[in-house]
């Protein structure tokens, strides 16, 4: 049976375009780096919230993924890197098979714990000024592992460069300004004699 061509007199149905939510939070590499470093890594809490929030919103309405709280997973993020990275790898559908997501998550947890210990020592002036410098320097290895994770997340969502979220917004500039204040306060705190 041959289908007859559509009649030009009959209008096609007006179907609204449905925008599919990204499975995970996409961020351009440059934007991620600016926000992470400018805020002394505080951006990582928002980042974790957005990853879980996007995952929750993009899950089917009746899925168990709809029942968790992204805010709690952001605050207690250290306990959720492994499960987040497993989901990212599964979502990639084979394109990230070489990624050692478990090891990546474990390194991030270890780095966060080391940074936390150094920060506590620095606040109590134990080992100062070495612990002060080491505490501040931890931002760079942390950035590296978060950055690598973001690149893989972007890739899993089909936007390796993160072009869908590359522009800095007014809120981003506000966070950058707050971060500058934090960096200045930290520098003054280290420079001030005990």
């Amino acid at each position: 049976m041959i289908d007859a061509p559509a009649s030009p007199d009959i209008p096609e149905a007006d179907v609204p375009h449905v925008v599919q939510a990204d499975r995970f939070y996409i961020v351009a590499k440059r934007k991620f780096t600016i926000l992470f470093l400018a805020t002394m890594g505080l951006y990582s809490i928002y980042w974790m919230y957005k990853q879980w929030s996007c995952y929750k919103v993009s899950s089917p309405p009746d899925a168990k993924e709809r029942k968790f709280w992204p805010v709690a997973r952001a605050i207690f993020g250290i306990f959720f890197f492994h499960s987040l990275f497993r989901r990212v790898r599964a979502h990639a559908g084979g394109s990230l098979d070489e990624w050692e997501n478990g090891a990546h998550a474990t390194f991030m947890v270890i780095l966060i714990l080391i940074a936390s210990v150094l920060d506590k020592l620095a606040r109590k002036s134990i080992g100062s000024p070495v612990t002060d410098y080491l505490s501040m320097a931890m931002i760079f290895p942390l950035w590296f592992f978060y950055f690598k994770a973001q690149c893989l997340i972007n890739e899993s969502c089909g936007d390796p460069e993160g072009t869908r979220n590359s522009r800095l917004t007014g809120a981003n500039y506000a966070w950058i300004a707050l971060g500058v204040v934090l960096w200045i306060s930290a520098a003054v705190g280290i420079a001030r004699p005990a």
Side-chain angles (χ1 to χ4, degrees):
M1 182 176 207
I2 299 173
D3 290 325
S7 168
D9 299 337
I10 302 172
E12 290 186 23
D14 231 357
V15 179
H17 178 68
V18 178
V19 176
Q20 179 68 32
D22 288 316
R23 191 67 166 153
F24 297 100
Y25 182 54
I26 296 171
V27 187
K29 297 171 186 178
R30 178 180 164 273
K31 180 177 179 176
F32 177 86
T33 298
I34 290 168
L35 291 172
F36 191 91
L37 295 178
T39 62
M40 296 183 85
L42 288 176
Y43 177 70
S44 63
I45 298 168
Y46 176 77
W47 179 86
M48 192 66 145
Y49 163 77
K50 287 298 288 183
Q51 296 301 344
W52 286 110
S53 179
C54 287
Y55 185 77
K56 180 177 181 174
V57 169
S58 66
S59 296
D62 57 343
K64 67 178 182 178
E65 286 84 359
R66 289 284 190 154
K67 294 179 174 63
F68 64 74
W69 295 350
V71 171
R73 291 192 179 211
I75 294 169
F76 302 106
I78 198 167
F79 300 108
F80 295 102
F81 285 116
H82 288 85
S83 60
L84 174 65
F85 291 173
R86 268 194 310 273
R87 285 170 170 86
V88 170
R89 185 174 174 171
H91 176 66
S95 65
L96 300 180
D97 279 349
E98 293 184 15
W99 178 35
E100 295 291 335
N101 57 296
H104 190 150
T106 300
F107 278 123
M108 289 181 74
V109 169
I110 290 168
L111 284 173
I112 289 169
L113 291 173
I114 291 169
S116 179
V117 168
L118 287 170
D119 188 50
K120 284 182 179 24
L121 291 172
R123 277 192 272 142
K124 293 182 179 184
S125 296
I126 299 171
S128 285
V130 174
T131 52
D132 295 315
Y133 294 125
L134 289 175
S135 177
M136 288 180 70
M138 284 302 295
I139 188 96
F140 298 106
L142 283 168
W143 165 81
F144 175 78
F145 280 95
Y146 274 98
F147 180 81
K148 182 173 171 140
Q150 185 60 57
C151 291
L152 293 164
I153 288 166
N154 288 351
E155 187 177 330
S156 79
C157 292
D159 188 0
E161 297 304 314
T163 54
R164 292 195 294 261
N165 184 10
S166 59
R167 192 175 59 82
L168 290 169
T169 65
N172 296 150
Y173 284 113
W175 281 105
I176 291 168
L178 175 65
V180 169
V181 171
L182 288 173
W183 276 105
I184 291 170
S185 296
V188 168
I190 291 174
R192 188 182 64 223

